Amino acid sequence: MAEVLHTRKELAAAREAMAGPVGVVMTMGALHAGHEALLRAARERAGHVIVTIFVNPLQFGPNEDFDRYPRTLDSDLEICRRAGVDMVFAPSVTEMYPEGRPTVRLDPGPLGEDLEGLSRPGFFHGVLTVVMKLLQLTRPDLAFFGEKDYQQLTLVRRMVRDLDVPAEIVGVPTVREPDGLAMSSRNRYLSAEERQTALSLSAALRAGAAAAERGEDAGAVLAAAHRAFDAPDARLDYLVLTDTELEPGPVSGPARLLIAAWVGATRLIDNTAIHLAPRP
């Protein structure tokens, strides 16, 4: 039975009693099969698993979906219990930010202002600030993050490395619906028609990956992905090819293909790993 805690004091006491490797999975709730994959990965590698459930206001812009973001604590706790989670930390906003929104926030650097950061100014300042706070409060040996939010994963890894945080950051592969749509808590916003339109994101990634497997160069990979994004009812935000650290794309070797698009009023992201053949 997962212990549910709501205050820092309760968390500190419970964490003190944990011996052996501790893993943490940080979430905003609305848990789905993608989160369950994170919980399984944590359970396999850690002696104790902590899940945090907190809808972080710092990472929502003024016109974003903070107020309507799904909050499903009862069903989230059931998923955690089934997964063998030891502890769930579900604080209030006041508990996390007792003096109001913090005036000191982590600067994600240049990468944090690109891609998601360019479309959502200040987003990664809020993400890294809450991740650092939760790392400090839970003191894990391992922290598990999904590869679907690849830029977030990359920035958290850089933060931990640059600031000497004693935790290993573990990436867990994206979990997809049978038709290829990446699992996301925001998928529940989509109508039936929008749900079909949303498949254009994963279709673009598959087309780009297939072009790479045929030995085509970076330009041809991007062109194939753009052709496959055949969605008049969706608005493409970005479709880019980078290296694995999200720096300008390589001419050969491991790479990452990333996409973001608006489907109706819902903004979705996805990405995939590819490998570019050596240039002749």
Side-chain angles (χ1 to χ4, degrees):
M1 182 71 71
E3 186 177 8
V4 183
L5 310 175
H6 298 285
T7 69
R8 296 161 177 257
K9 184 176 180 180
E10 292 171 333
L11 174 62
R15 176 63 183 87
E16 194 64 33
M18 290 182 170
V22 173
V24 67
V25 176
M26 300 180 191
T27 83
M28 293 204 300
L31 303 188
H32 50 65
H35 296 104
E36 291 184 81
L38 294 173
L39 301 182
R40 287 193 298 272
R43 186 77 276 170
E44 289 169 3
R45 292 198 55 188
H48 298 281
V49 177
I50 301 172
V51 171
T52 68
I53 298 176
F54 179 64
V55 182
N56 176 35
L58 298 190
Q59 66 195 68
F60 289 80
N63 297 313
E64 293 187 337
D65 58 342
F66 176 73
D67 288 333
R68 72 184 184 110
Y69 193 87
R71 291 161 170 83
T72 57
L73 184 59
D74 289 343
S75 60
D76 293 344
L77 293 178
E78 181 56 34
I79 288 172
C80 289
R81 292 183 180 108
R82 290 202 307 265
V85 168
D86 298 277
M87 182 195 311
V88 175
F89 179 50
S92 66
V93 172
T94 303
E95 186 68 23
M96 282 297 291
Y97 304 119
E99 297 181 11
R101 295 196 173 206
T103 56
V104 175
R105 305 187 191 188
L106 279 163
D107 184 342
L111 176 58
E113 309 301 337
D114 197 10
L115 302 175
E116 290 300 288
L118 185 62
S119 296
R120 306 177 68 187
F123 173 67
F124 284 116
H125 297 74
V127 169
L128 294 187
T129 298
V130 78
V131 168
M132 177 60 87
K133 286 173 70 71
L134 289 169
L135 287 171
Q136 299 278 24
L137 291 169
T138 60
R139 295 180 289 118
D141 300 285
L142 308 110
F144 297 81
F145 292 85
E147 290 185 356
K148 186 184 79 69
D149 297 295
Y150 191 79
Q151 189 176 7
Q152 171 181 276
L153 171 62
T154 302
L155 283 167
V156 169
R157 281 177 167 155
R158 289 189 184 185
M159 177 187 74
V160 164
R161 182 174 67 242
D162 289 351
L163 300 183
D164 296 314
V165 179
E168 178 185 349
I169 305 303
V170 182
V172 178
T174 301
V175 176
R176 298 183 180 277
E177 301 281 2
D179 58 9
L181 184 67
M183 292 271 188
S184 170
S185 298
R186 289 186 168 96
N187 288 349
R188 66 186 67 198
Y189 296 159
L190 301 171
S191 68
E193 294 78 11
E194 290 170 342
R195 175 71 173 65
Q196 285 300 116
T197 299
L199 297 178
S200 292
L201 279 79
S202 55
L205 297 179
R206 286 196 303 273
E213 289 173 4
R214 293 193 297 268
E216 299 186 26
D217 63 17
V221 166
L222 265 178
H226 275 282
R227 286 194 301 272
F229 186 77
D230 183 19
D233 296 329
R235 177 165 57 89
L236 186 65
D237 188 346
Y238 61 76
L239 176 53
V240 298
L241 180 62
T242 72
D243 74 6
T244 56
E245 291 294 312
L246 298 181
E247 299 297 339
V251 295
S252 65
R256 208 82 191 184
L257 188 60
L258 304 100
I259 189 170
W262 288 93
V263 179
T266 303
R267 188 172 179 279
L268 301 175
I269 62 173
D270 202 350
N271 71 89
T272 193
I274 66 169
H275 193 279
L276 294 170
R279 298 182 72 175

